[in-house]
């Protein structure tokens, strides 16, 4: 008979721990990623896509019934008023964008590279200016250059004339001036951000090598500012294409842009299919220009 031999345990040594059973497969309780995308997609659909779908549907639904039809598009495109509004909208937007780019670049250069008292305060004012409504700037211009504004009042007081010489605010040039005045800070803001990251050592080296101010701007500063100019210019172009308040508050009766035409067709003439057609065209132009900007900026590495 074999006797089991007891293994002595060393005093003070811990007993061997029992081996824990291997854990079984755990069921993943993580929420799928597509579930988190549902709330923002639902909000976007209700706030934007659904109203846009209604506008598109109304644009192909004539008032006389008969189902869906492209007759509203044919009528609008054949209208001389629409063609004039489209031409006016495009040239005002392009002209305002060019003016904002030139003026914004010059002003940003002065603020960023020319030391003067109150420079930081001017920079802060540019940031605050972005929050101003467009009609406020238009009203300010009316107070200065309007028919009964300060400029005309000063002229009549000095010359004794019955009327002043400043009546350009009710013309396309007045709308152009108001848009350049309002949208220039939208170009200055990204430019000032780009200039703040520019290595000043490059400017010092260029100056030490005999480069003049214009050459430094052209060969050193301008290449660094091109992405900011593209970003600010594209934003201004899209906003000018859709600007309504400035044109309305200047009182320029002979200036009809696409947003003004939408207002005229919908509110004054109650022609909702035509208004929706113009709105769809305006949206298509804006989205197309923005998509073009994204493609160009991606290829340029901006």
């Amino acid at each position: 008979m074999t006797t089991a031999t007891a293994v002595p345990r060393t005093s003070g040594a811990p007993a061997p721990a029992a081996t824990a059973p291997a854990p079984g497969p755990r069921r993943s309780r993580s929420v799928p990623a597509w579930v988190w995308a549902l709330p923002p997609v639902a909000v976007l659909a209700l706030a934007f896509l659904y109203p846009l779908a209604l506008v598109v549907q109304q644009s192909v639904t004539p008032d006389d019934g008969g189902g869906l039809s492209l007759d509203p598009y044919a009528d609008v495109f054949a209208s001389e008023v629409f063609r004039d509004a489209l031409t006016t909208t495009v040239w005002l937007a392009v002209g305002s964008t060019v003016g904002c780019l030139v003026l914004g670049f010059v002003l940003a250069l002065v603020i960023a590279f020319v030391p003067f008292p109150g420079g930081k305060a001017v920079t802060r004012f540019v940031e605050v200016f972005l929050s101003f409504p467009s009609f406020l700037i238009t009203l300010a211009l009316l107070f200065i250059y309007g028919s009964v504004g300060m400029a005309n009042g000063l002229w009549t007081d000095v010359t004794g004339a019955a009327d002043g010489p400043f009546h350009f605010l009710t013309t396309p040039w007045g709308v152009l001036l108001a848009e350049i005045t309002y949208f220039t800070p939208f170009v200055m803001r990204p430019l000032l951000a780009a200039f703040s990251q520019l290595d000043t050592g490059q400017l010092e080296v260029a100056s030490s090598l005999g480069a003049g101010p214009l050459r430094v701007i052209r060969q050193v500063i301008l290449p660094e500012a091109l992405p900011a100019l593209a970003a600010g210019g594209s934003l201004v172009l899209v906003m000018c294409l859709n600007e309504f308040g400035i044109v309305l508050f200047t009182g320029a009766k002979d200036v009809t842009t696409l947003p003004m035409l939408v207002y005229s067709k919908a509110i004054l003439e109650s022609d909702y299919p035509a208004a929706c057609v113009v709105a769809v065209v305006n949206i298509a132009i804006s989205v197309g220009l923005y998509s073009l900007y994204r493609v160009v900026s991606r290829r340029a590495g901006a």
Side-chain angles (χ1 to χ4, degrees):
M1 180 174 178
T2 304
T3 304
T5 304
V7 179
R9 187 174 62 176
T10 304
S11 177
T19 304
R26 299 179 62 184
R27 181 175 299 177
S28 175
R29 296 182 179 180
S30 60
V31 180
W34 60 269
V35 175
W36 298 106
L38 289 179
V41 170
V43 173
L44 180 64
L46 291 176
F48 178 74
L49 297 180
Y50 179 66
L52 180 60
L54 291 180
V55 171
V56 175
Q57 180 185 6
Q58 184 65 44
S59 68
V60 293
T61 306
D63 285 334
D64 55 3
L68 301 181
S69 174
L70 294 178
D71 290 341
Y73 282 86
D75 296 339
V76 170
F77 291 165
S79 172
E80 184 177 357
V81 175
F82 169 77
R83 293 195 296 268
D84 291 342
L86 179 61
T87 303
T88 303
T89 302
V90 171
W91 86 259
L92 277 177
V94 173
S96 299
T97 302
V98 173
C100 290
L101 288 175
V102 174
L103 183 59
F105 184 72
V106 173
L107 293 179
L109 279 177
V110 173
I111 294 174
F113 299 109
V114 179
F116 63 93
K120 292 184 178 180
V122 173
T123 303
R124 298 293 180 269
F125 176 75
V126 170
E127 296 176 354
V128 174
F129 190 91
L130 300 179
S131 63
F132 289 177
S134 59
F135 69 85
L136 183 62
I137 306 303
T138 309
L139 287 178
L141 291 176
L142 287 173
F143 289 148
I144 299 174
Y145 299 109
S147 300
V148 292
M150 293 186 298
N152 284 323
L154 182 62
W155 178 273
T156 55
D157 292 340
V158 172
T159 63
D163 196 8
F166 303 104
H167 301 285
F168 62 89
L169 279 183
T170 57
T171 68
W173 300 108
V175 177
L176 189 67
L177 173 64
E179 291 187 350
I180 292 176
T181 303
Y182 178 69
F183 289 114
T184 294
F186 288 85
V187 175
M188 295 175 60
R189 186 64 189 87
L191 280 175
L192 291 174
F195 290 159
S196 65
Q197 300 177 359
L198 183 64
D199 185 8
T200 56
Q202 300 180 16
L203 306 180
E204 297 174 357
V205 170
S207 300
S208 64
L209 293 176
L214 293 180
R215 187 175 181 181
V216 172
I217 293 174
R218 185 176 67 254
Q219 296 186 353
V220 180
I221 297 179
L222 185 58
E224 297 292 334
L226 285 180
L229 282 172
S234 62
L235 176 63
V236 170
L237 181 61
V238 173
M239 294 178 70
C240 288
L241 285 171
N242 300 284
E243 180 56 40
F244 174 76
I246 289 178
V247 183
L248 180 65
F249 275 83
T250 54
K253 298 180 180 179
D254 296 332
V255 179
T256 302
T257 59
L258 291 180
M260 287 295 297
L261 188 59
V262 172
Y263 172 80
S264 176
K265 292 292 185 181
I267 305 301
L268 303 181
E269 302 178 18
S270 297
D271 190 354
Y272 295 107
C276 291
V277 169
V278 179
V280 170
V281 173
N282 202 0
I283 294 172
I285 294 175
S286 300
V287 174
L289 287 175
Y290 178 76
S291 302
L292 178 62
Y293 157 71
R294 294 295 299 174
V295 172
V296 173
S297 62
R298 189 180 300 112
R299 292 183 177 179

